Amino acid sequence: QELHDINAKSSFSTRGTDQSVNVVTRVHNGTTTASSSSFSNVHGHIGVANSNNHIGGLGNMQQHIANEEQLIGASQQQSMGQNINVDISQPQGELVQVQPPQGQVGFQNNVDNFVPQGGQPINLQQQYVSQQNQIQLPLQQQQQQQPQPINLAENTWNQPLPNQYTNGAGGGTVTGGLSTVQGQGTQINQFANNHGVGLPNGNGNALSVMVDGGNIHNGNGVIITANQGAPQLQNPESVQTPPPEPLLKCDEFGGPTDQALVDEMVYWENYPADYDFVSPYYSKHSIKYITFEPDSGGWNSRRMMMETMLVLAHATGRTLVLPPKETIPHMSEDSGSATFQDFIDLFGTATKYKGIRVMTMEDFLKKEALQGRLVRGNTVMAPPNGRVNWDSAENMPELWGYVRTVGRIPKEWNAESCLLAFPATKDAENIESLSNTFSDIWDGRDGRKVPHPVEFQGRPVPVDAPAIERMREVMADRKEVCLYDESLQHERLIHIPLTSIGKSQLWTHFYSFIFFEDWRHDVWAKRMVRDQMHYTESIICAAARVVEALEKSGIKETDKATKEENSASITYSENIAKITGNSAAAVDDGGDNSFFHAIHIRSTADFIEQYPDTNVDIATIISELPNSIKANSTLYIATDEQDDNNRILFKQFEEHFKVFFLSDFEDLLGDDLTPLHYGMVDQLVAARAKNFVGVYYSTFSGYINRLRGYYSVKKRLDGYRDGVLQSYYYAPHEKKKQMRIYHAIQRPAFMREYPVSWRNIDKGV
């Protein structure tokens, strides 16, 4: 029943013998009452929104009730069958479950993460148990991650809450089942929707049913039974949770059509609760900007820089201005020019995330420069020749010279010498306190020696540890802390330039340079990069088609007996099932179920000149491969060598392994991809390999390892809790097993990726 009258009362009167009814009443303002003559089991009424609600049994039913559940409020009344008035805007709630007498028919409701009085912790699961016909029908567990409870008492980072949570003075948490209220809140929204559907939490489902004219409905309005007595649940499908919408579909991008394989390519998550989080410096009314010059290196140096700039723009509450299109070094000469949007959907991210704003350089110059808002001193500065479109411009240095003139360059922000720290609030006292924390570490005022990265080897600091502990782990011997101080906050435009050698002063991983006092902000930033900075669907789907082909090759080599059966008509998941003995639907074990290995070889002259200890011959590289890469196994080689040279340079590999290059799968790449995208496909394919071998110093190899880190957590592979990967380096020799044990950040950080970027970053969601 749904009541709107402020004085209205809801009344249920049911007569019969040995009947069980689960009643949900939605009351906007009012109270609920009930009466009965013969109930063997009654479950409480659930009232919603600013009302005094009777939750549990009613006093006039006491002599007839054999079993009931009660939600005890501030008064902590526990006497079964009493009238219990609970104002849900006030109490600390506790679920108390009273077991039914033996042999009674009932509807058992367990709620995740709660302990019945005098009992053990119970999981969120509902079963209807019938003594008469022995029906026991558990609900299906949800596969998709569900929204988790938010502790509003700790909500110091100003996160607007999703609709299904309470949102009011003091805060509160709502957790699944019939109605479990914990903490203090103003009103509950979720139970006022969908005909009483309960709020799922964690690994289970909640089901609330409503009585309507003799029919009992589930949350979606499907009739379970037309009998007002004990529900028979004759159609189990009616209470199953529909499967979650896949995060990636490849049908419109040329396949694969096997969704099991497509799902294997997904390492990211989708948390709508993350969309509304904003930095303390964010203001929708005050628009300021940050620009940067892209690194002179290849794509991965630029991608690394873009991640840093996106996190920095969000942290400072500024709009990120994207550089114009231009040719990217180390990509195919006939690839043409490109911008970041060609590979990563930054504008799509900006439409979802409240605190992220992105615009093109052309739009920025039209809005700011042509309107006379960019100045040097008191002089309005127009762009060179009044030009606003600088895409593919040969005289790009003129643009950057102009932007350097009208923008503020924070010269003290240098990733090698300082740690850029953001306080939990923008109060001057908090900024000073965070600076003092850094000084206390260096001066030993915290009673310990100055930390060295080696002391954290194999000993990661918890992601929610106090700020001083997390700061100690990421200092990396830097002696200074740099801040977003008041003078920088007032600048309309901040610009990050290139140095004299063509490198950015912030050329590093975002997580190695930017530190957040609030651990929630820190893991949010790492999640945002993981969940939003992935390559576009067309690139990932092309990589999925290559992985599918490699897996089939690997399976053929693994099981000769099924070689003829492993044809193109057999799906990826069916092939895996043949080898592992698992059903196709059950295959979800990440790299552990991969049937190919991968290696990235960087052998161009400029790289070897810069890092001479990587100049090793093919025989040495083969000798450095781990023993887990067996002879005759399938090996995918990602390399920057030209295609015509691959077979000649790497002929020795073919003497030991079944070798493939991306060029072997050109027919699978599709028309949407150009040589600009090929390196990205290489990375995605290598990330799915069982074992990966890269080269130290390479940002290309580094990013493959970060992707493998994301996968390891999602698939819960061996070592994922400590950031350990099934990855190696072929050169230099002393770095071979760097990824086989946890390491804290060391400078220069760009030479590899670190587990702090992917380990336990979903905590607190």
Side-chain angles (χ1 to χ4, degrees), residues 617-639:
D617 57 27
I618 299 299
T620 301
I621 295 176
I622 293 176
S623 69
E624 291 290 345
L625 298 182
N627 294 333
S628 51
I629 301 181
K630 306 295 184 182
N632 299 318
S633 58
T634 298
L635 182 66
Y636 181 82
I637 299 179
T639 178

Side-chain angles (χ1 to χ4, degrees), residues 124-198:
L124 188 146
Q125 183 184 25
Q126 293 185 337
Q127 295 180 330
Y128 178 77
V129 185
S130 173
Q131 173 82 10
Q132 207 166 11
N133 51 21
Q134 300 299 315
I135 294 175
Q136 192 169 38
L137 241 142
L139 293 173
Q140 294 282 340
Q141 287 192 343
Q142 290 189 6
Q143 299 300 315
Q144 179 72 6
Q145 179 76 27
Q146 296 294 335
Q148 298 296 305
I150 294 177
N151 186 344
L152 300 187
E154 298 178 1
N155 186 25
T156 58
W157 49 316
N158 299 323
Q159 181 188 16
L161 296 174
N163 289 335
Q164 66 263 35
Y165 294 107
T166 63
N167 185 9
T173 301
V174 180
T175 307
L178 289 178
S179 178
T180 301
V181 182
Q182 178 188 12
Q184 296 181 356
T186 302
Q187 64 181 12
I188 306 171
N189 298 322
Q190 181 69 22
F191 288 98
N193 299 321
N194 298 327
H195 302 293
V197 172

Side-chain angles (χ1 to χ4, degrees), residues 225-292:
T225 176
N227 188 333
Q228 202 173 0
Q232 298 301 307
L233 295 181
Q234 297 170 357
N235 180 12
E237 295 297 322
S238 67
V239 296
Q240 292 182 355
T241 301
E245 187 72 15
L247 293 177
L248 175 66
K249 290 183 177 180
C250 290
D251 295 347
E252 62 180 288
F253 301 104
T257 57
D258 185 359
Q259 190 60 42
L261 170 63
V262 175
D263 291 342
E264 285 289 306
M265 300 300 296
V266 176
Y267 58 80
W268 60 92
E269 301 287 353
N270 180 37
Y271 296 129
D274 279 348
Y275 296 169
D276 290 330
F277 172 67
V278 296
S279 163
Y281 297 97
Y282 169 83
S283 172
K284 64 180 181 180
H285 303 295
S286 177
I287 306 299
K288 298 183 174 68
Y289 304 91
I290 188 166
T291 55
F292 70 102

Side-chain angles (χ1 to χ4, degrees), residues 18-59:
D18 294 331
Q19 295 182 352
S20 176
V21 178
N22 181 29
V23 179
V24 174
T25 307
R26 301 188 299 175
V27 185
H28 293 271
N29 257 304
T31 60
T32 63
T33 63
S35 63
S36 173
S37 59
S38 299
F39 269 72
S40 62
N41 177 33
V42 174
H43 283 263
H45 294 193
I46 300 174
V48 182
N50 293 335
S51 62
N52 293 326
N53 302 306
H54 296 293
I55 302 180
L58 278 295

Side-chain angles (χ1 to χ4, degrees), residues 534-551:
H534 57 76
Y535 295 137
T536 58
E537 288 88 343
S538 60
I539 301 173
I540 301 172
C541 291
R545 295 190 291 273
V546 176
V547 169
E548 183 177 39
L550 287 168
E551 290 286 11

Side-chain angles (χ1 to χ4, degrees), residues 15 30 46 64 75 78 92 117 140 149 216 265 283 304 308 339 344 351 372 412 477 536 567 575 616 679 681:
R15 303 182 183 279
I46 300 174
H64 303 292
S75 62
Q78 300 182 27
Q92 295 284 342
Q117 189 172 21
Q140 294 282 340
I216 299 180
M265 300 300 296
S283 172
M304 184 171 65
T308 299
T339 188
I344 299 170
T351 61
E412 63 275 19
D477 293 327
T536 58
S567 62
N575 274 332
V616 295
V681 174

Side-chain angles (χ1 to χ4, degrees), residues 340-367:
F340 291 99
Q341 185 65 20
D342 293 326
F343 314 114
I344 299 170
D345 187 12
L346 297 170
F347 289 101
T349 298
T351 61
K352 290 185 289 187
Y353 282 72
K354 180 179 179 180
I356 294 178
R357 296 175 289 206
V358 178
M359 68 190 313
T360 65
M361 178 62 72
E362 181 177 1
D363 288 341
F364 167 70
L365 293 175
K366 287 179 179 179
K367 181 178 180 180

